[in-house]
Amino acid sequence: MDEKLKSHFLSLYCMIVADGDVAISELDEMYRIAMDNYGFSREEIDRAILTGGSAFYIPDSDEEKVKYLYDLALIASADGVDVSEILLLKKYALKFGFPEENIENLVSVLLEFAKQKISIDKILKEIQ
């Protein structure tokens, strides 16, 4: 696994622990994202998380930034969204360079889409 994706999965794990409750539904969602969207096995994800040691990576394109934020929103909504998860999602959006005045709306929209399990392709078309 390259360092960019390792960083992303470490971020997903941070979202899982953000509310202080590691819910099975959140872990299942992380593994589903890994397998369905990136082609990784559970073992590869476990290894990436356990070895840590990755620098924080900011995606290059706006599309990739939205995809990464949406993955985080899916994790947050897996067991009901907690305020700490919303704050973490906003923090990532800021780090990814989205304008501060757009963060509230972006996070709300992504969490609503995640709750509805809307496909990332449909989201990207709607945002553009």
Side-chain angles (χ1 to χ4, degrees):
M1 176 182 303
D2 73 16
E3 288 300 309
K4 293 176 184 179
L5 284 174
K6 185 176 182 180
S7 172
H8 180 51
F9 282 98
L10 288 170
S11 295
L12 292 179
Y13 190 74
C14 287
M15 182 61 77
I16 289 171
V17 300
D19 63 0
D21 177 32
V22 178
I24 295 298
S25 58
E26 292 173 313
L27 289 169
D28 287 344
E29 186 65 21
M30 180 182 65
Y31 290 126
R32 186 202 61 76
I33 290 168
M35 291 185 272
D36 294 353
N37 299 351
Y38 300 96
F40 293 114
S41 68
R42 292 176 77 99
E43 293 77 21
E44 289 171 306
I45 296 306
D46 290 344
R47 195 174 15 225
I49 291 169
L50 290 173
T51 59
S54 178
F56 182 75
Y57 167 72
I58 297 173
D60 297 321
S61 69
D62 287 341
E63 181 178 295
E64 194 176 12
K65 290 174 184 178
V66 170
K67 284 181 182 180
Y68 279 24
L69 290 172
Y70 186 59
D71 287 346
L72 289 162
L74 287 167
I75 297 292
S77 67
D79 70 337
V81 181
D82 182 87
V83 68
S84 59
E85 294 167 324
I86 294 170
L87 293 172
L88 185 57
L89 192 53
K90 288 177 181 179
K91 187 174 191 174
Y92 278 107
L94 280 170
K95 284 184 176 220
F96 286 178
F98 287 97
E100 192 167 350
E101 62 271 11
N102 297 343
I103 298 292
E104 190 76 36
N105 187 51
L106 175 64
V107 167
S108 294
V109 167
L110 289 175
L111 287 170
E112 184 58 35
F113 286 156
K115 192 164 96 174
Q116 296 175 34
K117 301 285 188 196
I118 294 176
S119 77
I120 188 62
D121 293 331
K122 186 173 181 178
I123 292 168
L124 290 172
K125 284 180 188 174
E126 195 161 316
I127 289 175
Q128 294 172 353

PDB file of all heavy atoms in Angstrom, residues 19 73 75-87 89 107 111 114-115:
ATOM      1  N   ASP A  19     -15.062   9.375  18.551  1.00  0.00           N
ATOM      2  CA  ASP A  19     -16.122   9.516  19.556  1.00  0.00           C
ATOM      3  C   ASP A  19     -15.881   8.679  20.808  1.00  0.00           C
ATOM      4  O   ASP A  19     -16.726   8.613  21.694  1.00  0.00           O
ATOM      5  CB  ASP A  19     -17.493   9.201  18.953  1.00  0.00           C
ATOM      6  CG  ASP A  19     -17.622   7.759  18.467  1.00  0.00           C
ATOM      7  OD1 ASP A  19     -16.650   6.981  18.581  1.00  0.00           O
ATOM      8  OD2 ASP A  19     -18.710   7.414  17.961  1.00  0.00           O
ATOM      9  N   ALA A  73     -17.039  10.501   6.092  1.00  0.00           N
ATOM     10  CA  ALA A  73     -18.452  10.690   6.430  1.00  0.00           C
ATOM     11  C   ALA A  73     -19.168   9.342   6.548  1.00  0.00           C
ATOM     12  O   ALA A  73     -20.031   9.170   7.415  1.00  0.00           O
ATOM     13  CB  ALA A  73     -19.134  11.564   5.382  1.00  0.00           C
ATOM     14  N   ILE A  75     -17.820   6.538   7.541  1.00  0.00           N
ATOM     15  CA  ILE A  75     -17.407   5.975   8.829  1.00  0.00           C
ATOM     16  C   ILE A  75     -18.182   6.663   9.965  1.00  0.00           C
ATOM     17  O   ILE A  75     -18.717   6.003  10.856  1.00  0.00           O
ATOM     18  CB  ILE A  75     -15.888   6.142   9.055  1.00  0.00           C
ATOM     19  CG1 ILE A  75     -15.076   5.380   8.002  1.00  0.00           C
ATOM     20  CG2 ILE A  75     -15.496   5.731  10.478  1.00  0.00           C
ATOM     21  CD1 ILE A  75     -15.159   3.889   8.077  1.00  0.00           C
ATOM     22  N   ALA A  76     -18.253   7.983   9.910  1.00  0.00           N
ATOM     23  CA  ALA A  76     -18.936   8.734  10.963  1.00  0.00           C
ATOM     24  C   ALA A  76     -20.406   8.346  11.068  1.00  0.00           C
ATOM     25  O   ALA A  76     -20.952   8.250  12.170  1.00  0.00           O
ATOM     26  CB  ALA A  76     -18.806  10.234  10.711  1.00  0.00           C
ATOM     27  N   SER A  77     -21.042   8.100   9.943  1.00  0.00           N
ATOM     28  CA  SER A  77     -22.479   7.805   9.968  1.00  0.00           C
ATOM     29  C   SER A  77     -22.784   6.332  10.220  1.00  0.00           C
ATOM     30  O   SER A  77     -23.947   5.973  10.370  1.00  0.00           O
ATOM     31  CB  SER A  77     -23.128   8.267   8.660  1.00  0.00           C
ATOM     32  OG  SER A  77     -22.653   7.493   7.579  1.00  0.00           O
ATOM     33  N   ALA A  78     -21.772   5.494  10.298  1.00  0.00           N
ATOM     34  CA  ALA A  78     -21.991   4.048  10.464  1.00  0.00           C
ATOM     35  C   ALA A  78     -22.694   3.701  11.767  1.00  0.00           C
ATOM     36  O   ALA A  78     -23.422   2.717  11.837  1.00  0.00           O
ATOM     37  CB  ALA A  78     -20.669   3.292  10.350  1.00  0.00           C
ATOM     38  N   ASP A  79     -22.494   4.502  12.816  1.00  0.00           N
ATOM     39  CA  ASP A  79     -23.124   4.207  14.103  1.00  0.00           C
ATOM     40  C   ASP A  79     -23.850   5.428  14.676  1.00  0.00           C
ATOM     41  O   ASP A  79     -24.104   5.509  15.863  1.00  0.00           O
ATOM     42  CB  ASP A  79     -22.093   3.685  15.111  1.00  0.00           C
ATOM     43  CG  ASP A  79     -21.109   4.739  15.566  1.00  0.00           C
ATOM     44  OD1 ASP A  79     -20.904   5.737  14.839  1.00  0.00           O
ATOM     45  OD2 ASP A  79     -20.531   4.577  16.657  1.00  0.00           O
ATOM     46  N   GLY A  80     -24.177   6.375  13.825  1.00  0.00           N
ATOM     47  CA  GLY A  80     -24.772   7.618  14.301  1.00  0.00           C
ATOM     48  C   GLY A  80     -23.683   8.649  14.488  1.00  0.00           C
ATOM     49  O   GLY A  80     -22.649   8.361  15.077  1.00  0.00           O
ATOM     50  N   VAL A  81     -23.897   9.817  13.974  1.00  0.00           N
ATOM     51  CA  VAL A  81     -22.853  10.849  13.952  1.00  0.00           C
ATOM     52  C   VAL A  81     -22.770  11.559  15.305  1.00  0.00           C
ATOM     53  O   VAL A  81     -23.761  12.026  15.846  1.00  0.00           O
ATOM     54  CB  VAL A  81     -23.127  11.870  12.830  1.00  0.00           C
ATOM     55  CG1 VAL A  81     -22.038  12.922  12.790  1.00  0.00           C
ATOM     56  CG2 VAL A  81     -23.230  11.164  11.482  1.00  0.00           C
ATOM     57  N   ASP A  82     -21.550  11.621  15.809  1.00  0.00           N
ATOM     58  CA  ASP A  82     -21.248  12.287  17.076  1.00  0.00           C
ATOM     59  C   ASP A  82     -20.613  13.644  16.772  1.00  0.00           C
ATOM     60  O   ASP A  82     -19.986  13.824  15.729  1.00  0.00           O
ATOM     61  CB  ASP A  82     -20.261  11.397  17.856  1.00  0.00           C
ATOM     62  CG  ASP A  82     -19.910  11.969  19.207  1.00  0.00           C
ATOM     63  OD1 ASP A  82     -20.661  11.686  20.160  1.00  0.00           O
ATOM     64  OD2 ASP A  82     -18.893  12.680  19.309  1.00  0.00           O
ATOM     65  N   VAL A  83     -20.765  14.598  17.671  1.00  0.00           N
ATOM     66  CA  VAL A  83     -20.211  15.937  17.465  1.00  0.00           C
ATOM     67  C   VAL A  83     -18.694  15.889  17.247  1.00  0.00           C
ATOM     68  O   VAL A  83     -18.153  16.660  16.443  1.00  0.00           O
ATOM     69  CB  VAL A  83     -20.599  16.894  18.618  1.00  0.00           C
ATOM     70  CG1 VAL A  83     -19.937  16.504  19.917  1.00  0.00           C
ATOM     71  CG2 VAL A  83     -20.288  18.326  18.256  1.00  0.00           C
ATOM     72  N   SER A  84     -17.999  14.997  17.925  1.00  0.00           N
ATOM     73  CA  SER A  84     -16.541  14.901  17.744  1.00  0.00           C
ATOM     74  C   SER A  84     -16.195  14.443  16.325  1.00  0.00           C
ATOM     75  O   SER A  84     -15.179  14.859  15.765  1.00  0.00           O
ATOM     76  CB  SER A  84     -15.928  13.955  18.779  1.00  0.00           C
ATOM     77  OG  SER A  84     -16.488  12.664  18.676  1.00  0.00           O
ATOM     78  N   GLU A  85     -17.057  13.616  15.734  1.00  0.00           N
ATOM     79  CA  GLU A  85     -16.823  13.168  14.361  1.00  0.00           C
ATOM     80  C   GLU A  85     -17.070  14.304  13.369  1.00  0.00           C
ATOM     81  O   GLU A  85     -16.341  14.442  12.388  1.00  0.00           O
ATOM     82  CB  GLU A  85     -17.709  11.957  14.049  1.00  0.00           C
ATOM     83  CG  GLU A  85     -17.320  10.743  14.868  1.00  0.00           C
ATOM     84  CD  GLU A  85     -18.332   9.626  14.827  1.00  0.00           C
ATOM     85  OE1 GLU A  85     -19.557   9.909  14.781  1.00  0.00           O
ATOM     86  OE2 GLU A  85     -17.906   8.462  14.852  1.00  0.00           O
ATOM     87  N   ILE A  86     -18.064  15.111  13.637  1.00  0.00           N
ATOM     88  CA  ILE A  86     -18.332  16.281  12.788  1.00  0.00           C
ATOM     89  C   ILE A  86     -17.148  17.237  12.841  1.00  0.00           C
ATOM     90  O   ILE A  86     -16.690  17.732  11.807  1.00  0.00           O
ATOM     91  CB  ILE A  86     -19.631  16.991  13.218  1.00  0.00           C
ATOM     92  CG1 ILE A  86     -20.839  16.087  12.964  1.00  0.00           C
ATOM     93  CG2 ILE A  86     -19.788  18.332  12.495  1.00  0.00           C
ATOM     94  CD1 ILE A  86     -22.137  16.586  13.579  1.00  0.00           C
ATOM     95  N   LEU A  87     -16.650  17.487  14.037  1.00  0.00           N
ATOM     96  CA  LEU A  87     -15.494  18.381  14.184  1.00  0.00           C
ATOM     97  C   LEU A  87     -14.274  17.841  13.451  1.00  0.00           C
ATOM     98  O   LEU A  87     -13.540  18.606  12.805  1.00  0.00           O
ATOM     99  CB  LEU A  87     -15.176  18.600  15.659  1.00  0.00           C
ATOM    100  CG  LEU A  87     -16.214  19.382  16.454  1.00  0.00           C
ATOM    101  CD1 LEU A  87     -15.884  19.379  17.941  1.00  0.00           C
ATOM    102  CD2 LEU A  87     -16.325  20.805  15.928  1.00  0.00           C
ATOM    103  N   LEU A  89     -14.278  15.799  10.833  1.00  0.00           N
ATOM    104  CA  LEU A  89     -14.541  15.920   9.405  1.00  0.00           C
ATOM    105  C   LEU A  89     -14.296  17.354   8.925  1.00  0.00           C
ATOM    106  O   LEU A  89     -13.694  17.582   7.875  1.00  0.00           O
ATOM    107  CB  LEU A  89     -15.975  15.474   9.112  1.00  0.00           C
ATOM    108  CG  LEU A  89     -16.377  15.250   7.667  1.00  0.00           C
ATOM    109  CD1 LEU A  89     -15.433  14.311   6.943  1.00  0.00           C
ATOM    110  CD2 LEU A  89     -17.794  14.722   7.590  1.00  0.00           C
ATOM    111  N   VAL A 107     -19.702  19.601   4.857  1.00  0.00           N
ATOM    112  CA  VAL A 107     -19.781  18.508   5.832  1.00  0.00           C
ATOM    113  C   VAL A 107     -21.228  18.040   5.995  1.00  0.00           C
ATOM    114  O   VAL A 107     -21.498  16.834   6.017  1.00  0.00           O
ATOM    115  CB  VAL A 107     -19.149  18.929   7.173  1.00  0.00           C
ATOM    116  CG1 VAL A 107     -19.489  17.951   8.281  1.00  0.00           C
ATOM    117  CG2 VAL A 107     -17.641  19.064   7.017  1.00  0.00           C
ATOM    118  N   LEU A 111     -22.409  14.249   5.042  1.00  0.00           N
ATOM    119  CA  LEU A 111     -23.005  13.385   6.063  1.00  0.00           C
ATOM    120  C   LEU A 111     -24.406  12.937   5.665  1.00  0.00           C
ATOM    121  O   LEU A 111     -24.788  11.782   5.899  1.00  0.00           O
ATOM    122  CB  LEU A 111     -23.026  14.092   7.420  1.00  0.00           C
ATOM    123  CG  LEU A 111     -21.664  14.214   8.100  1.00  0.00           C
ATOM    124  CD1 LEU A 111     -21.750  15.139   9.310  1.00  0.00           C
ATOM    125  CD2 LEU A 111     -21.119  12.849   8.498  1.00  0.00           C
ATOM    126  N   ALA A 114     -23.969  10.322   3.043  1.00  0.00           N
ATOM    127  CA  ALA A 114     -23.471   9.091   3.663  1.00  0.00           C
ATOM    128  C   ALA A 114     -24.605   8.351   4.357  1.00  0.00           C
ATOM    129  O   ALA A 114     -24.686   7.115   4.281  1.00  0.00           O
ATOM    130  CB  ALA A 114     -22.349   9.410   4.653  1.00  0.00           C
ATOM    131  N   LYS A 115     -25.467   9.093   5.009  1.00  0.00           N
ATOM    132  CA  LYS A 115     -26.612   8.490   5.683  1.00  0.00           C
ATOM    133  C   LYS A 115     -27.516   7.772   4.678  1.00  0.00           C
ATOM    134  O   LYS A 115     -28.044   6.707   4.958  1.00  0.00           O
ATOM    135  CB  LYS A 115     -27.388   9.577   6.426  1.00  0.00           C
ATOM    136  CG  LYS A 115     -28.424   9.065   7.386  1.00  0.00           C
ATOM    137  CD  LYS A 115     -28.863  10.147   8.346  1.00  0.00           C
ATOM    138  CE  LYS A 115     -30.111  10.821   7.863  1.00  0.00           C
ATOM    139  NZ  LYS A 115     -30.660  11.790   8.826  1.00  0.00           N
TER     140      LYS A 115
END
